[in-house]
Amino acid sequence: MKKNVLYLVAAVFVGLLCGYFIFGTNSTAPGEKVHNDHDHEEVGSSEMWTCSMHPQIMQPEPGDCPICGMDLIPAETGADGLSPNEIKMTENAIALANIQTTIVGSVAGESGDNSILLSGKIVPNDENNAVQASYFDGRLERLHVNYEGQKIQKGQLLATIYSPDLVAAQQELLTTATLKESQPALYEAVRNKLKLWKLSDAQITAIETTGKVKDNFPIYATVTGTVTEVTAREGDYVKQGQPILKVSNLTTVWAEFDAYENQIPSLKVGQKIKVVSNAYAAKEFEAIISFVDPILSNATRTVIVRTILKNTDDLFKPGMFVTGKISGDTNHNEEVITVPASAVMWTGERSLVYVKTSVDQPIFEMREVKINGRNGENITIANGLQHGEEIVTNGTFTIDAAAQLQGKKSMMNKMGGRVMTGHEHHTGVEATSNKTDTSSHSALEFSISFQDNFSKALHTYLEMKDAFVSGNNQQITSSAKKAAAAFESLPEKDLGKLEKEHLEKSIDMFSAIGNLEQQREHLVVLNEHIVAIAMNLKSPAENLYVQRCPMANNNQGAVWLSLDEEIRNPYFDSGMLTCGSVVQVIQ
C-alpha cells in the first residue's frame, strides 16, 4: 500500500515537472506583455525619416517636410560594409534629386571635334592707349572731361589750369619781344620754351599781340578716344608730366584668352580663331592669334592668348566675356580622361568627384582627382579616374550634402563625422560631440585683420543679395558696383595663392553682373567663392547662415549667405522665395 502511494506521488511530481517545461516558458502573468522575435525587432527599431529634396531634414517619425511640404521617406539605413568614402542613397531620392551619371572617356571638346575652346574677355588695346598729362606745374581750375567712358576728340578742351611758371614765362615773352631785333636768339629761346609746354604758335602770337598775360591756360586733347580713367580732380595741384586722363582708342580691342599647359603645343601666332561674345551669341567673329604669352602664370597655370578685333561699330565693350574656338588638327591624346565641369567639386585645395561603384545599387564613392586643365565645359583629369568608370555629372552637391549628414567624408569634411541635422537645427537640439567641425578642417587660412575687413565688406554683398530677392535690376547693378569696390579694398598682402584666387574671382563676378538673368548666373559662381571664404572665418561678427536651393542653377543646386535663418531665395522670382534650406551655420 505504502509502495503504491510512493509511486502515485512520484508520478504526480514528474507530471508537474513536465508541464512546467512544456507550458511554463510561454505563460505570462496577468497584464504582462508577450514578447517574441518580431517584437524584439520592433522595440530595437529606430527608423528615421527624411525628405528626398532636402536630405538635411531628419525626423524620428513620418510626416511632411517642414521646408517644401513633401511626404517624408524612410532614411537609408543598413549601410554596413560601405567604406568611409561611400554613400548609399534610395532610388526615390536619386530620381527626385535628378542625379545623372556618365561613363568616363576621352572628349575632344565641347563641340565633339578636335577643336580647342578657350574662355576670355575683352580688354582695351594697349597699343592705342594714351595719357593726357599736364605739361607744366599748376592747379586745375576747371576739368571739362570728368568721368570714365566719355568720348573725346583731338583738339577738344580738356581742362583749364593756373600755373605761376606759365605766368612768369608769358611776362618773359613780352619782355624779350621788345628786344627781338637786338637779341633774336633770346627771343626764340623763350618762344621755344612755351612751345615745349604745348602752346601753339597762334597762342604765343596772341600773347605778344595783346600784350596781356593769361592767368588760366587751356589744355587740349592730343588724341581721339574714350576716357578709361580720370586721375585728377578740380582743385588738384599737378606736376609737369602728371597724368590727368587716360584715353583708349576702342576702334580695335584685344580679346585675351586663358590657355592651359596641355593646350600650349596646339597654339601658335597666325592661327585662325573664331570669337563669340555672350552679348552676340549667334554671331562669330573671325580673327588671327597675334600673341601667345611666353611666360606661364604660376597662380593659374595658364598662358594668355591674344587676338585683335576690329571694333569700328562699337560692339565690343572692355570687360565682356568671350569664347574662342580654334579648329583644325590638334594633338589630342586618346589616353587623356575628360569629364564635364559639373562633375568636379573644388574646395580650394582638393578636386573631388563622385564615382558610382555598384552596377545594381545607388552607391557612390567620393574620389579625389588631379586636374590637368579645362577646355570649354570639359575638365581634363590627370589622375584619379580610369576609362569606363561611371561618375556623377548632375546633382554632385546633393550627394555630398547627404554624405555630410550620414557622417561620411565629404567635400568640406575630410575626416567624416556627424553634422547637425535639419530637425536638430530647427528644434535647437545640439548635435553629439563628434559633429563636424569645419573650422578644424579648413581649406583656407585668413589673418584676423583680413577677417575683420571681410566681415565689414560682406554687408555690401548682403545688400546686393537682398536686391536679387526683390528682383530690382537697377538696385542689383548699383549694389554690385558698391560691393566690387568694397572687396577690391580688402588687403591681399597676407593672402595665399588659393585665398587670393577666391577673392579675385569674387571681385570679377561682382564686376560682371549684367542683365537680370546673367546676374543670377554670375551669382551662382560668386556665391561659391564667397561661401568658401566665409566658411573659414574663425569668429564672424554675427552668425551667417549658409543656405542652399536644390533647384537653382538648372537643378544642380546653388548656395548663398544670409544673416537670417528664414529662407529668401535670390535665384528665383517671388513664386519660389522660400525654396531652400539652411545647410550650415557659421558662428
Side-chain angles (χ1 to χ4, degrees):
M1 181 69 179
K2 290 180 179 180
K3 189 179 290 186
N4 291 337
V5 172
L6 289 174
Y7 287 146
L8 180 61
V9 172
V12 171
F13 178 80
V14 171
L16 291 173
L17 187 62
C18 291
Y20 174 79
F21 282 110
I22 295 173
F23 303 104
T25 57
N26 289 331
S27 64
T28 58
E32 186 178 14
K33 184 177 179 179
V34 178
H35 294 275
N36 53 32
D37 292 340
H38 177 69
D39 292 322
H40 283 293
E41 290 178 4
E42 290 183 347
V43 171
S45 174
S46 58
E47 186 174 36
M48 296 294 289
W49 297 74
T50 186
C51 174
S52 56
M53 290 296 292
H54 303 95
Q56 69 272 19
I57 299 299
M58 285 286 178
Q59 296 185 175
E61 57 187 19
D64 296 334
C65 174
I67 298 175
C68 64
M70 294 180 61
D71 291 337
L72 298 181
I73 61 175
E76 189 66 35
T77 58
D80 297 337
L82 299 181
S83 72
N85 284 352
E86 289 184 321
I87 177 176
K88 185 176 182 180
M89 301 181 69
T90 64
E91 294 289 353
N92 192 27
I94 294 293
L96 290 174
N98 193 26
I99 305 297
Q100 297 176 11
T101 62
T102 188
I103 303 297
V104 168
S106 299
V107 181
E110 192 179 52
S111 59
D113 53 21
N114 282 341
S115 60
I116 296 178
L117 297 180
L118 303 175
S119 298
K121 62 181 180 181
I122 299 296
V123 298
N125 185 344
D126 286 347
E127 295 176 347
N128 293 339
N129 290 346
V131 174
Q132 298 293 289
S134 172
Y135 299 105
F136 35 78
D137 297 348
R139 181 181 67 241
L140 282 176
E141 295 294 325
R142 182 72 185 274
L143 192 60
H144 299 277
V145 178
N146 52 18
Y147 62 87
E148 296 176 6
Q150 191 170 354
K151 294 185 177 181
I152 62 174
Q153 298 293 325
K154 184 177 180 179
Q156 179 179 337
L157 179 62
L158 299 181
T160 304
I161 190 170
Y162 166 73
S163 172
D165 291 342
L166 191 56
V167 170
Q170 292 177 79
Q171 293 281 9
E172 190 178 358
L173 174 66
L174 294 177
T175 301
T176 57
T178 61
L179 304 173
K180 63 181 176 181
E181 296 296 336
S182 60
Q183 299 185 39
L186 178 61
Y187 170 71
E188 288 298 327
V190 173
R191 285 186 65 95
N192 288 335
K193 180 180 178 180
L194 292 173
K195 288 180 180 180
L196 291 175
W197 282 346
K198 297 300 181 180
L199 270 69
S200 65
D201 286 327
Q203 287 176 308
I204 297 172
T205 302
I207 295 172
E208 287 185 48
T209 303
T210 60
K212 293 182 179 180
V213 174
K214 290 186 177 181
D215 292 334
N216 298 324
F217 242 83
I219 297 178
Y220 296 101
T222 58
V223 295
T224 298
T226 302
V227 176
T228 57
E229 186 178 358
V230 180
T231 57
R233 293 290 182 265
E234 287 186 2
D236 287 354
Y237 283 86
V238 293
K239 290 288 186 181
Q240 181 178 359
Q242 180 177 333
I244 298 174
L245 302 172
K246 291 184 179 180
V247 181
S248 179
N249 189 333
L250 299 180
T251 54
T252 62
V253 293
W254 285 347
E256 289 191 343
F257 304 94
D258 293 323
Y260 291 96
E261 287 181 83
N262 65 321
Q263 297 171 330
I264 294 176
S266 303
L267 303 171
K268 59 183 178 180
V269 174
Q271 268 183 309
K272 291 183 179 180
I273 182 171
K274 295 181 180 179
V275 180
V276 177
S277 168
N278 290 348
Y280 315 104
K283 187 175 181 180
E284 286 186 345
F285 299 88
E286 299 282 349
I288 302 294
I289 293 178
S290 59
F291 173 77
V292 177
D293 198 336
I295 300 175
L296 183 76
S297 169
N298 288 326
T300 61
R301 308 304 301 171
T302 61
V303 297
I304 294 176
V305 178
R306 180 186 301 149
T307 185
I308 301 175
L309 297 174
K310 292 183 179 179
N311 194 33
T312 52
D313 295 330
D314 201 24
L315 296 178
F316 299 108
K317 315 292 183 184
M320 275 185 174
F321 288 108
V322 290
T323 301
K325 180 179 179 181
I326 301 173
S327 303
D329 294 331
T330 58
N331 299 325
H332 177 59
N333 184 356
E334 294 297 332
E335 297 302 319
V336 171
I337 293 179
T338 311
V339 301
S342 61
V344 182
M345 299 183 298
W346 184 63
T347 69
E349 64 175 10
R350 298 185 299 154
S351 297
L352 307 170
V353 298
Y354 274 94
V355 181
K356 191 171 185 290
T357 56
S358 174
V359 177
D360 303 323
Q361 300 183 65
I363 298 176
F364 304 94
E365 176 191 49
M366 187 186 73
R367 185 89 56 83
E368 186 168 345
V369 296
K370 182 178 179 182
I371 293 177
N372 193 34
R374 179 164 180 164
N375 185 0
E377 291 304 313
N378 296 307
I379 289 179
T380 303
I381 304 297
N383 59 57
L385 287 176
Q386 296 181 356
H387 287 278
E389 289 189 299
E390 188 174 359
I391 64 170
V392 177
T393 54
N394 187 63
T396 313
F397 284 94
T398 301
I399 294 179
D400 192 74
Q404 292 186 43
L405 295 170
Q406 292 188 21
K408 298 285 187 176
K409 293 181 180 181
S410 58
M411 180 174 66
M412 298 304 294
N413 183 16
K414 296 180 181 179
M415 305 302 293
R418 183 177 176 273
V419 298
M420 182 180 288
T421 66
H423 174 68
E424 290 169 331
H425 173 72
H426 288 289
T427 57
V429 178
E430 289 295 329
T432 56
S433 60
N434 64 334
K435 74 176 182 177
T436 301
D437 180 6
T438 56
S439 64
S440 63
H441 308 298
S442 299
L444 309 172
E445 294 184 1
F446 300 99
S447 66
I448 298 299
S449 174
F450 179 87
Q451 294 184 57
D452 292 341
N453 287 295
F454 178 83
S455 296
K456 295 175 184 177
L458 192 62
H459 283 276
T460 60
Y461 158 83
L462 294 168
E463 178 183 326
M464 185 198 70
K465 183 265 299 180
D466 291 338
F468 272 101
V469 172
S470 61
N472 188 329
N473 192 20
Q474 184 176 358
Q475 183 61 37
I476 290 172
T477 303
S478 173
S479 300
K481 291 180 179 179
K482 182 178 177 182
F487 278 77
E488 283 177 349
S489 66
L490 293 177
E492 296 187 15
K493 62 179 182 178
D494 297 330
L495 297 183
K497 180 179 69 175
L498 296 175
E499 289 81 356
K500 187 179 293 186
E501 187 169 333
H502 276 296
L503 177 60
E504 291 176 348
K505 279 290 185 182
S506 299
I507 295 171
D508 286 345
M509 290 302 103
F510 278 126
S511 303
I513 288 176
N515 62 60
L516 190 59
E517 289 305 316
Q518 289 179 338
Q519 284 172 333
R520 283 173 170 157
E521 292 174 7
H522 294 315
L523 182 64
V524 173
V525 181
L526 169 66
N527 279 323
E528 290 177 358
H529 296 280
I530 290 290
V531 170
I533 296 175
M535 289 179 68
N536 290 278
L537 298 179
K538 303 300 181 184
S539 54
E542 42 198 334
N543 289 350
L544 296 173
Y545 295 89
V546 181
Q547 299 175 339
R548 182 179 185 275
C549 173
M551 299 178 67
N553 192 23
N554 295 322
N555 292 320
Q556 296 182 45
V559 295
W560 69 91
L561 288 175
S562 176
L563 291 178
D564 302 315
E565 182 179 358
E566 185 179 7
I567 301 297
R568 286 292 181 267
N569 193 320
Y571 292 112
F572 296 102
D573 56 25
S574 58
M576 299 184 66
L577 279 181
T578 59
C579 180
S581 60
V582 176
V583 295
Q584 186 166 341
V585 182
I586 304 171
Q587 55 189 2

